[in-house]
Amino acid sequence: MTTTDRTGNTDALEQSSLPKPRRGGLRAFLLDGLADSSGQHQGPHAQKPEKTNSWWRVMCLTGVDYFSTLGYQPAIAAVAAGLLSPFATLVLIGLTLLGALPVYRRVARESFKGEGSIAMLERLLPWWGGKLFVLVLLGFAATDFMITITLSAADASAHAIENPFAPSWFHGAQVPITLFLILLLAIVFLRGFKEAIGIAVVLVGVYLVLNAVVIGVTLVSALSQPIVIGNWWEALTRQYSSPFLAVGVSLLVFPKLALGLSGFETGVAVMPQISGAKEDTPKSPLGRIRGAQRLLTTAAIIMSVFLLTSSFATTLLIPQKEFEQGGAANGRALAYLAHEYLGNGFGTVYDVSTIFILWFAGASAMAGLLNLVPRYLPRYGMAPLWARAVRPLVLVFAAIAFIVTLAFDANVDKQGGAYATGVLVLITSASIAVFLSCRHKKQRKRTIGFAVISAVFVYTTILNIIERPEGVRIAALFILGILIVSVVSRIHRALQLRATSVSLDSQALSFVTEDADESGRVILIANEPDDGSLAEYKQKAKDERRFSGIPQRSPVIFVEVWPADSSNFEEDLEVRGELVHGYRVLRVNSGNIPNTLATILLEVRDVTGVVPDIYFEWTEGNPISNFLKFLVTGGGEVAPVTREVLRRAEPDRKRRPDVHAS
């Protein structure tokens, strides 16, 4: 058997014969690291890490996103639910521990390569419908990650501005400060982002300790003043006379608190960073899966405790007017308490810690985008090949973050709805993926359980969209942009070689080498599989010899492409040699006929040293409709498209396989 790595990149198609173009200056800087063109792009989380880490250390990496929401979540909860904030938070915690956590523990078990729930849906929903669904989900995922960057930077700037030691020129400069933080983030990623886990462990450790101190001190203060609790309870019962009314309102408003569910998708994306057990295998890394499940469970429990206690502390001790736009606690409730109850010195330390972890949360989101986009779009043929390089994407994402920040005036409250929509859609899609997986595996009880969870998340997502439609509008812009880029790129790259690798089994290899050695020629006849009868092959061979002028004594080999998923762009081709009714046949499964045939011809040339010929029968039909058929189904006008793919792949006419049609 022979195996060759190939790529759809027209700049590096013929590795054996063409020198790679030299890159220098800005181009070399931007495309540094564009070594893997196979479609299995390694984003920051998907790369095989040089060093894996204990699950609790990796938890800190995903925790910079998850735990940093404490910087603004209590204030958003107070604005959304008012006096009911603790009860609405309880509903959110229930959904976290009984809904999102079981879903993502299952995702970790079934998608352990860091591909997350989107990859599960991709496997369960093939062909073009599945691709379209994935593209829509990518739009919501992009919304989630992008708003994480802009919202975190905006909240970090709010903490800096409201600090009593901040210079006077900070006031009114929230937008410029936010843009500076985003620019700093882009610069760091352009230079290279290493030692992320070590930094995350320090930031998360310090931040959680400071939050524990603030919440502990303020709760003790509140509990030592019964009048504080009494005033809150009196106001609550006056506003909601019936307990059922309070519960009902809590169920209605808790979707606005969905920001507290962020971090689960990132939690499974970082799985390759987790150390496994010695007995782990690539197909069954049980140790790594257990580590990821511990990560998810521990993070969810820690966050639930902090969400509930911070909600009580902020609701009891901060006047409601301070949560409103322009109030001292808007977007920074715990920082407000830190300054009020522990002094400006401690409060400043808390502000600095919050600014750092919020900025680093933006870094985590940027890493998520850099991991997500190259994993799918280039592999679908729906993005330029430079989208596999980190630095061009960093510039694109930074520009989008600038636009989003300017559009929302760096306002935390305005961005909350879009963020919650992205988070909820991703979790809803994950719950549906797990439900479909259980159903496919005929696990009846789990199917029912995850169906209920899916229904709850669907309800939550719909309610959030109705209440705050701006999230869907922003996601729609991302989805529209992705679809436009996808269609244009797919058409632009249609005539590239698409195989990431080609392998000829021993029988196939013997067919082509035998002809090359004995006659000095390799003649292939393209055959569209029909009934597979002896008459089919006999008539095909007779017609080609008669109309194409193939000598009667020259040996021929049939080549057949059996249909597969035509929506796939990049494929690993496995060519099988078979004897069918005494005729030698090369068979391969692929969703694209012309590009696959071109790849096989180049592979035959490389392994035999002989430039092969291939013979076709002309395809009937309108050229335009045939080309559209080629784009969608991978068929259409096979002969001329195969010739054009070869022409682009091999500029040397003497080394290019010849295409004959009659």
Side-chain angles (χ1 to χ4, degrees):
M1 175 182 288
T2 178
T3 303
T4 301
D5 289 331
R6 291 194 179 273
T7 168
N9 186 349
T10 53
D11 290 334
L13 284 168
E14 281 304 306
Q15 299 158 353
S16 58
S17 59
L18 296 177
K20 292 184 180 180
R22 293 182 180 179
R23 295 169 175 156
L26 181 61
R27 178 179 172 84
F29 174 75
L30 290 176
L31 297 183
D32 179 44
L34 188 58
D36 175 20
S37 301
S38 69
Q40 301 300 315
H41 174 81
Q42 319 83 338
H45 296 322
Q47 256 180 359
K48 184 177 180 181
E50 296 178 3
K51 177 185 176 183
T52 56
N53 293 268
S54 301
W55 65 267
W56 64 268
R57 289 175 59 85
V58 180
M59 181 187 71
C60 293
L61 181 61
T62 184
V64 293
D65 176 17
Y66 196 20
F67 300 140
S68 68
T69 58
L70 289 170
Y72 46 82
Q73 173 75 7
I76 290 177
V79 171
L83 297 173
L84 279 174
S85 176
F87 297 103
T89 301
L90 273 174
V91 177
L92 178 68
I93 290 171
L95 191 59
T96 298
L97 299 179
L98 301 178
L101 181 58
V103 164
Y104 278 94
R105 283 175 62 91
R106 176 82 179 220
V107 172
R109 194 169 72 190
E110 297 198 16
S111 187
F112 47 77
K113 294 181 180 179
E115 297 172 325
S117 59
I118 295 179
M120 289 180 63
L121 285 169
E122 183 188 29
R123 292 192 294 268
L124 292 167
L125 302 171
W127 300 88
W128 285 106
K131 296 292 187 298
L132 182 61
F133 192 73
V134 168
L135 291 178
V136 172
L137 284 181
L138 286 177
F140 283 104
T143 303
D144 179 11
F145 287 124
M146 187 57 63
I147 299 297
T148 299
I149 294 172
T150 58
L151 187 147
S152 297
D155 198 50
S157 65
H159 279 77
I161 292 169
E162 294 297 331
N163 187 276
F165 301 115
S168 58
W169 60 268
F170 268 30
H171 293 275
Q174 179 140 350
V175 172
I177 294 174
T178 302
L179 293 177
F180 171 76
L181 290 174
I182 295 172
L183 177 63
L184 183 63
L185 181 68
I187 291 172
V188 168
F189 271 88
L190 288 173
R191 288 180 58 85
F193 202 69
K194 299 180 179 179
E195 300 301 330
I197 290 182
I199 298 171
V201 169
V202 174
L203 288 178
V204 168
V206 171
Y207 186 66
L208 290 182
V209 168
L210 291 176
N211 273 284
V213 171
V214 172
I215 294 171
V217 169
T218 52
L219 280 180
V220 168
S221 176
L223 293 174
S224 64
Q225 304 176 58
I227 191 173
V228 172
I229 300 175
N231 289 340
W232 167 69
W233 187 255
E234 182 182 348
L236 182 65
T237 52
R238 187 168 56 248
Q239 188 171 352
Y240 304 99
S241 56
S242 167
F244 297 105
L245 178 61
V247 171
V249 173
S250 297
L251 291 173
L252 288 173
V253 301
F254 91 90
K256 297 179 181 179
L257 281 61
L259 281 70
L261 289 167
S262 68
F264 280 100
E265 193 71 30
T266 309
V268 291
V270 298
M271 280 189 68
Q273 304 282 348
I274 300 174
S275 299
K278 292 182 180 180
E279 61 271 16
D280 280 7
T281 63
K283 292 185 177 181
S284 182
L286 297 179
R288 176 165 294 164
I289 291 171
R290 285 194 298 270
Q293 291 177 336
R294 290 190 193 113
L295 180 157
L296 294 167
T297 303
T298 305
I301 292 173
I302 291 174
M303 191 62 178
S304 296
V305 171
F306 274 101
L307 283 175
L308 184 59
T309 53
S310 64
S311 177
F312 270 109
T314 53
T315 303
L316 292 173
L317 297 174
I318 300 178
Q320 285 294 309
K321 64 178 182 179
E322 297 294 346
F323 291 114
E324 298 172 1
Q325 185 66 39
N330 181 255
R332 55 185 299 275
L334 290 176
Y336 176 92
L337 292 178
H339 284 276
E340 287 291 321
Y341 287 85
L342 292 160
N344 288 333
F346 184 91
T348 299
V349 172
Y350 183 86
D351 282 337
V352 171
S353 174
T354 304
I355 290 169
F356 272 111
I357 198 169
L358 284 168
W359 180 85
F360 206 82
S364 176
M366 178 70 82
L369 280 169
L370 295 173
N371 179 53
L372 195 67
V373 171
R375 184 186 295 279
Y376 292 99
L377 294 185
R379 179 161 57 85
Y380 291 175
M382 294 178 174
L385 280 172
W386 57 257
R388 287 198 180 98
V390 169
R391 285 168 177 155
L393 285 178
V394 170
L395 295 177
V396 171
F397 295 148
I400 295 174
F402 269 50
I403 295 171
V404 172
T405 297
L406 293 171
F408 285 101
D409 296 322
N411 186 288
V412 174
D413 292 334
K414 290 181 180 179
Q415 298 178 72
Y419 188 18
T421 299
V423 170
L424 284 171
V425 169
L426 284 181
I427 296 179
T428 301
S429 67
S431 63
I432 292 173
V434 171
F435 160 71
L436 292 175
S437 174
C438 293
R439 184 181 178 188
H440 178 72
K441 295 179 179 180
K442 297 181 179 179
Q443 298 170 333
R444 186 171 178 273
K445 292 182 179 179
R446 293 181 180 180
T447 299
I448 295 173
F450 285 113
V452 173
I453 292 174
S454 299
V456 172
F457 277 117
V458 168
Y459 155 78
T460 306
T461 303
I462 293 174
L463 199 61
N464 182 77
I465 291 172
I466 294 173
E467 290 284 331
R468 309 182 77 172
E470 66 272 15
V472 172
R473 296 191 189 109
I474 295 173
L477 293 176
F478 278 106
I479 293 169
L480 180 63
I482 287 174
L483 290 176
I484 291 173
V485 170
S486 298
V487 172
V488 172
S489 180
R490 183 88 182 208
I491 294 173
H492 178 70
R493 297 182 60 193
L495 299 175
Q496 292 178 0
L497 294 182
R498 303 184 183 185
T500 57
S501 68
V502 190
S503 64
L504 301 178
D505 69 8
S506 57
Q507 183 83 300
L509 188 60
S510 70
F511 288 166
V512 296
T513 54
E514 179 183 322
D515 285 7
D517 293 340
E518 293 184 1
S519 65
R521 293 187 68 188
V522 178
I523 299 175
L524 301 177
I525 296 176
N527 182 50
E528 183 177 356
D530 193 6
D531 59 4
S533 64
L534 172 61
E536 175 190 343
Y537 290 97
K538 187 175 181 179
Q539 187 63 44
K540 183 70 175 179
K542 180 180 178 181
D543 289 345
E544 288 296 346
R545 289 186 186 277
R546 177 184 177 187
F547 296 112
S548 299
I550 302 174
Q552 290 294 328
R553 295 181 178 273
S554 296
V556 297
I557 304 171
F558 288 96
V559 57
E560 299 175 347
V561 179
W562 289 71
D565 188 348
S566 61
S567 66
N568 288 332
F569 189 83
E570 294 180 342
E571 301 173 296
D572 294 313
L573 299 180
E574 299 178 358
V575 184
R576 310 176 303 277
E578 299 179 14
L579 281 172
V580 182
H581 304 300
Y583 291 95
R584 297 175 302 168
V585 183
L586 300 181
R587 287 178 170 171
V588 62
N589 293 89
S590 173
N592 182 279
I593 299 174
N595 309 64
T596 297
L597 291 174
T599 302
I600 292 174
L601 288 166
L602 292 173
E603 180 68 8
V604 169
R605 180 203 65 184
D606 290 346
V607 299
T608 64
V610 174
V611 178
D613 294 81
I614 187 167
Y615 290 82
F616 291 92
E617 179 183 343
W618 275 113
T619 305
E620 296 293 332
N622 184 286
I624 296 177
S625 62
N626 276 332
F627 185 72
L628 292 175
K629 184 179 179 182
F630 160 67
L631 291 175
V632 177
T633 68
E637 196 92 39
V638 178
V641 176
T642 302
R643 192 264 177 192
E644 180 60 19
V645 173
L646 287 168
R647 187 188 69 82
R648 296 189 180 206
E650 177 53 84
D652 187 348
R653 180 66 187 83
K654 294 180 180 179
R655 289 179 51 78
R656 187 188 309 154
D658 286 322
V659 175
H660 310 265
S662 62

